[in-house]
Amino acid sequence: GAVVSQHPSWVICKSGTSVKIECRSLDFQATTMFWYRQFPKQSLMLMATSNEGSKATYEQGVEKDKFLINHASLTLSTLTVTSAHPEDSSFYICSARDPASGEYNEQFFGPGTRLTVL
Amino acid sequence: SQQGEEDPQALSIQEGENATMNCSYKTSINNLQWYRQNSGRGLVHLILIRSNEREKHSGRLRVTLDTSKKSSSLLITASRAADTASYFCAPQSNAGKSTFGDGTTLTVKP
């Protein structure tokens, strides 16, 4: 399958600071990427859909001013957690849709980024 | 959104036994993927099965898909202690959105 990477793999920051997480599709161009978060011992929850060259679409209950998404190129989407608080501590995972999969709409996930806010 | 629901929630077996996990979903899909996640770690892609496929193998893994029943199963044969992890299915619709279920926590006892 196609490869999606995330950077950093983990980050620790102080409360009130902003943190940027990168998601890259390494061997394909992704017009659509998705961002998920996962709390300990829980499932992944979709946060937003990131579309290259346009605004992201956020799921209900996700604050768009809190979680800024930028999909400036076909291989890179970034998620910025602004003014982070301890309750934002979570595992953030991105995925990218491979357009070469056509109707099968295959989507591949990155390894995730663990954010800890002190 | 398309949500996969795994069953059972927890499964405990002895090393060498087979483990079967099931996934059900609600609407039509283009493909379905299975992922493994070790505690505190990232997702590891296991296998993808397309909507026009009924069965797929990868090493000790066997995945089936029944689109008429909107269900899939993951079979791990000859399990090992290293297979201990949470397993998630991710059904994907044409819109691309997928919501994971709570996963199946597999414990393989040595």
Side-chain angles (χ1 to χ4, degrees):
Chain A
V3 180
V4 176
S5 70
Q6 283 185 238
H7 178 79
S9 55
W10 59 270
V11 57
I12 300 173
C13 69
K14 292 183 178 180
S15 187
T17 61
S18 294
V19 175
K20 181 186 285 188
I21 302 170
E22 295 184 347
C23 175
R24 292 182 186 273
S25 54
L26 297 186
D27 49 3
F28 66 100
Q29 293 185 326
T31 54
T32 304
M33 293 183 174
F34 303 89
W35 286 96
Y36 297 77
R37 69 184 297 182
Q38 183 186 37
F39 291 107
K41 299 189 186 300
Q42 294 187 29
S43 184
L44 286 78
M45 298 302 296
L46 179 64
M47 297 174 66
T49 302
S50 170
N51 299 298
E52 188 268 336
S54 64
K55 292 182 179 180
T57 304
Y58 291 81
E59 295 299 299
Q60 193 171 9
V62 178
E63 300 175 60
K64 60 181 182 181
D65 295 329
K66 173 76 172 175
F67 300 99
L68 301 179
I69 292 173
N70 185 301
H71 193 157
S73 79
L74 287 171
T75 60
L76 174 65
S77 175
T78 60
L79 169 68
T80 300
V81 183
T82 62
S83 187
H85 291 281
E87 57 264 31
D88 297 324
S89 298
S90 188
F91 198 56
Y92 292 88
I93 300 174
C94 73
S95 68
R97 182 188 297 169
D98 184 0
S101 62
E103 63 183 288
Y104 295 103
N105 199 37
E106 293 172 2
Q107 187 184 142
F108 296 93
F109 287 80
T113 296
R114 181 163 300 286
L115 169 65
T116 302
V117 184
L118 303 177
Chain B
S1 61
Q2 181 66 273
Q3 179 167 0
E5 296 183 6
E6 296 86 354
D7 171 66
Q9 288 187 334
L11 181 61
S12 182
I13 59 174
Q14 292 294 136
E15 205 165 29
E17 294 180 340
N18 295 341
T20 299
M21 289 158 270
N22 302 297
C23 170
S24 60
Y25 55 92
K26 292 183 171 57
T27 61
S28 297
I29 61 170
N30 281 348
N31 69 77
L32 184 144
Q33 299 185 52
W34 284 90
Y35 287 84
R36 184 184 75 213
Q37 184 180 38
N38 290 76
S39 180
R41 307 292 292 274
L43 292 175
V44 174
H45 180 261
L46 295 177
I47 201 164
L48 179 149
I49 186 166
R50 291 181 169 180
S51 58
N52 64 346
E53 297 174 314
R54 292 295 167 258
E55 189 171 311
K56 208 163 181 179
H57 297 255
S58 177
R60 293 184 296 112
L61 305 180
R62 173 176 166 256
V63 167
T64 63
L65 178 65
D66 187 335
T67 53
S68 65
K69 295 182 179 178
K70 293 185 170 56
S71 67
S72 174
S73 68
L74 169 67
L75 169 66
I76 303 174
T77 60
S79 64
R80 306 167 182 167
D83 295 329
T84 295
S86 292
Y87 291 83
F88 297 91
C89 70
Q92 294 176 16
S93 67
N94 189 47
K97 283 186 182 180
S98 294
T99 306
F100 287 69
D102 291 333
T104 292
T105 301
L106 173 65
T107 302
V108 182
K109 301 174 185 175

